[in-house]
Amino acid sequence: MMKMDDTDFDALCDGAPPAEAKRLRKLLADWCNGDEQSFPVQLALLTRAQWRAAAAVPRLINEARELMERKLAEHRHQTAALIKGFADTADGKAKALEAIVVHHTEASQKAVTEIRAQLVKAEIVAQSIKDELERGALEWKQAKADFEAERQKFEQARKELETRQNWRDWLWLLLIVAGMIGIGIAIGLHIAR
């Protein structure tokens, strides 16, 4: 860990053996005292810039970490808001769907109740029609039996009438024959006189 009064060079030499750190300090001092355009001075300036940059890395890392944490917190907040919005929308849709299902269930139950009532009425009407058909069948059988009885009576009456007509015809025939015989006799007696 770097202390507040440590230099970038101290941070560079951290963990190095003391003899090596001493040599590096001497080399740095020699390079820094030379001509401005010389290689050692330019290298020293470059090294200083690198040390400054290296010293800024922990601060930049901390800033980047803090920025990432802020962005992550912001994303978490946005994600939570999106999830809440999605959940609210899903709840709304689910409630609407539930209302549709309840309405459909009520309508189905009402339709089933009406259909059952119609079926009961149809069953009553069908039973009434069945009873009427059975009554009609019985009346038809009775009418048929009555018709047959009347036909037989009529047939009997016809036979009796036919029999009477036959007797009457025979009687008339006998009367006519007797009348002719009587007329023939009367004419014969009249002629004979």
Side-chain angles (χ1 to χ4, degrees):
M1 285 300 251
M2 228 173 105
K3 297 177 189 156
M4 290 303 274
D5 56 348
D6 286 347
T7 63
D8 293 336
F9 185 77
D10 292 329
L12 183 66
C13 292
D14 189 32
E20 187 178 328
K22 185 177 178 184
R23 269 190 261 137
L24 284 172
R25 277 192 191 94
K26 185 175 181 203
L27 178 65
L28 181 61
D30 288 343
W31 283 353
C32 288
N33 291 332
D35 180 23
E36 282 185 17
Q37 299 302 323
S38 69
F39 173 75
V41 172
Q42 293 295 322
L43 183 60
L45 290 174
L46 180 62
T47 305
R48 255 190 207 165
Q50 287 175 341
W51 286 349
R52 283 187 190 126
V57 167
R59 179 182 50 82
L60 292 174
I61 288 174
N62 283 337
E63 288 175 1
R65 182 181 50 79
E66 289 172 3
L67 179 63
M68 285 178 66
E69 286 176 358
R70 278 196 307 265
K71 289 291 183 182
L72 185 60
E74 186 179 318
H75 284 292
R76 283 183 188 148
H77 180 70
Q78 289 175 354
T79 303
L82 286 173
I83 289 173
K84 185 179 182 307
F86 176 74
D88 292 344
T89 303
D91 286 345
K93 294 287 183 181
K95 287 179 182 175
L97 183 61
E98 185 177 334
I100 289 169
V101 168
V102 166
H103 178 70
H104 179 68
T105 303
E106 289 172 356
S108 296
Q109 288 175 346
K110 184 179 177 184
V112 166
T113 303
E114 289 175 2
I115 288 171
R116 284 184 181 158
Q118 292 297 328
L119 285 175
V120 168
K121 288 179 184 177
E123 196 172 306
I124 291 169
V125 169
Q127 186 63 40
S128 174
I129 290 171
K130 180 183 173 190
D131 293 344
E132 288 296 322
L133 285 174
E134 287 174 354
R135 193 173 313 123
L138 287 174
E139 288 177 9
W140 170 253
K141 287 179 184 176
Q142 184 63 41
K144 188 177 174 186
D146 291 347
F147 180 75
E148 185 62 31
E150 290 300 319
R151 188 189 67 77
Q152 288 176 357
K153 285 181 186 177
F154 180 71
E155 185 67 26
Q156 184 66 32
R158 185 190 61 78
K159 286 180 183 178
E160 288 175 5
L161 181 62
E162 194 175 283
T163 305
R164 278 190 223 148
Q165 282 180 346
N166 284 340
W167 282 106
R168 191 181 59 196
D169 289 345
W170 282 108
L171 185 61
W172 279 107
L173 184 61
L174 281 175
L175 284 175
I176 291 173
V177 170
M180 287 188 153
I181 292 175
I183 293 177
I185 293 176
I187 292 178
L189 285 175
H190 191 332
I191 297 180
R193 275 200 211 179

